[in-house]
Amino acid sequence: MPANTPQSLTVTWGSEPVIVSSIDRDLPAPGEPSARGEVIAAGAANPQTLLPDGAWRAIARATTMPEGIALQLRPSTGDPGGLLLEENVEGATLRSVVTRVHLSELLPGIQPRTGMEVNEVPDPQVEGLTRAGQPCAVVRYRYKDFGHLKDHVWQTLHGTLSINSYATSILARKVTRSLITHPVEITFEDGTPSFHGLVVRDGITRLASAWNVLAGPDADAAKTAAHAVGSLFGGVRPDAGGAAPELDERLAEHREQWREGIRKEFAHEMGLLEPGLRAAQIAQTFVVPAQIAVGAQHHPGHPLAPEDLFDDAIRSILASVHVDFKQWDDAAQHIEVITRALKRVIQLGDSPVPAEDLQAVYGLAVGRTSPDELPTAFRDRTIPGTPLWRSVYLVHALTRAGLFEQLKDQAKTIKGGRRMGPKGFAELLGPLVDLPWRSHKRAVTKQARNAWNNGGVLTDDVMLDWDPVPTGDFTSLVGPASRGDLNARCTLAVAGGIALIADKLLTRNVGSALGAPKEKGGVPFRSDVNQVVQDLSRQDNELGLWTLALTANAFRGDALPENAVTLRQLIRKDPDAGTTGRTYVHFRVDLAQPDRIARDENGVPEQLYQWDVVAASDEKRAEPAAAAAAGAGTGSPGAPADGPVDATTAAPEGPADGAGGTGAAAVFLAPAGVDGRPASQRAADDRNVLRTSLSAAHDALERLKLLEPEVGAHTPVIPLPGLEELNRILVSLSADIENLRRRTEDLHEEDGEDGEDGAEGLD
């Protein structure tokens, strides 16, 4: 048999036999420097591929076929673009090379399916790049530091594999569909040197599954992600001093050494009489097929900014698959629809809103413009640069009469629908609005997005012509709003409404909430979310206006209020109740008090509940339910069920998101100590502790049973009170595990079985 003839074999993956169809007997050798130089030279000479030299080096380093890429890049007499693959999308033509690349040279990129999820590690900031005013087929990812990059890669792979894995299919037949990739410049806010690499924009599940195969059948999502991060970055430190090579070179050297170790391991496995599972793991994942974007050409007649063109074109390609065919979840689809609709309006160029302003709104919507850059983006230094004000200006901009109709028409075209009212448009805004605080308020994100699906803050007045009123204290707007100032009323409606929704003090009413006790999320009457906000912001509703103002003042984008956490969650330490910032409290309004904060007979401030919010929107309509609750002795206004709030909470310790006006009332609690790692990584450790502890407990019980005959009946190995205590612990533990299992099953049902890419095995 020739030495290079592929080999087939059957291996065991976990408990499942897998027929591996074809294993190459040799792995690709390291590329010659001269061949890599050909790629760089050919890329620089091609007039249709504008990439920085660092990007070409990353491509040349990643490919196993540098000569093939150089051949595709060389122009011919009839085609100056060479043999590049061309794809036409709205406003642009993308050009790509098709090749095979090392798995260890690919990083997971940002995609709506991953970018719109609730994550504790934030996505990097994304910027497009240009050369001589022309778009480049590369984007810049800006991370906080090197640890942020590693944590983000871990999180993306872990989150992807927690939803789905094609490990068995890839082990049997390799990755069979090309991953859509492109170069990226990775930069850091702390001054760490930048470097270029390749990111995967479509095929993240295939990428993660390949690492899963390489990590082995016993590796769960956490171990696989840790294995991938270790292989990609190893022990490379960004701050190496002295005469150490640049970070880019040190990372490249680490990965080549890692691959050399894998080659030696594979050669040893293939030298055995019967190669086994490890040989198959390496052979099927060492390289993967990739389509690498290297050029982007701007179509004439479209006002799309050159720096936005390439990323928008890539997203158009992804959306053509994942919105129309293999669908993302609702939040990912909503964000894709609204941002694509905004881009289409920009491209058409016939909006009454100036193109420069539309670009500013787009930057704000996709997160390219941070909240602290808000005053610059809107050319108004009086605007507070906070997450809440970002959302106020974003909602205002996207619902202006001229732009709203155009966005709605484009969104209907993208979604394939015929009708879209304010409620339908509001559901598109939910994932846009919660971008700055999504990770900190992840425990209530589902309820908040349901509230947006029920109308959000898009009241009849908000859809009129008005302008936000910048202020550091929302209570200063109550007076003008009471006198009929539409700008002040709508500013309170949007800011206060967003705060109420984000903090789970205003949710989509369901039948079970009607008449339930206030401490259990009850409401006095049924009403749509946008109608409650509308009634709260009425000119003659002083109670509602103060509720909106105080809630907006106390709102924080980096924590979750105590009001959103039930008594049971606090007692049982429910993991969904945790926050990364200091918690705070929203208080009920009492117009008779100088500071408008309601207090009980002991002078302790009273917590605000959803019941209070809905009742404040229409006090007369709430009177029958309030009277019934008072008669039943439960849920009565002013009777907190979660216990008294400490009297020291009457004054805030620090500024709230609304710049900490004097009318705000909030309390902050010190966070529990953490080791600095993201919660998902700490959760992986605790899972191992739980599993090990349960195994140790089982072993101890078995030893006690063996000792029972020796101890004798006069002294039980476990006294009766001890058995009763253990039984209570076990019942509680069993109930917690069962509840967690049900929640996990519900999440899997919502995500669907196909995940991001569809079954790899169906190729």
Side-chain angles (χ1 to χ4, degrees), residues 162-177:
S162 297
I163 297 173
N164 199 8
S165 175
Y166 309 141
T168 304
S169 172
I170 290 174
L171 179 63
R173 300 184 300 129
K174 297 185 178 181
V175 175
T176 56
R177 287 189 291 127

Side-chain angles (χ1 to χ4, degrees), residues 111 113 166 202-205 322 326 328 754-758:
Q111 189 187 75
R113 202 262 309 154
Y166 309 141
D202 182 64
I204 294 176
T205 304
H322 294 291
K326 299 170 185 174
W328 290 310
D754 288 338
E756 169 218 4
D757 295 293

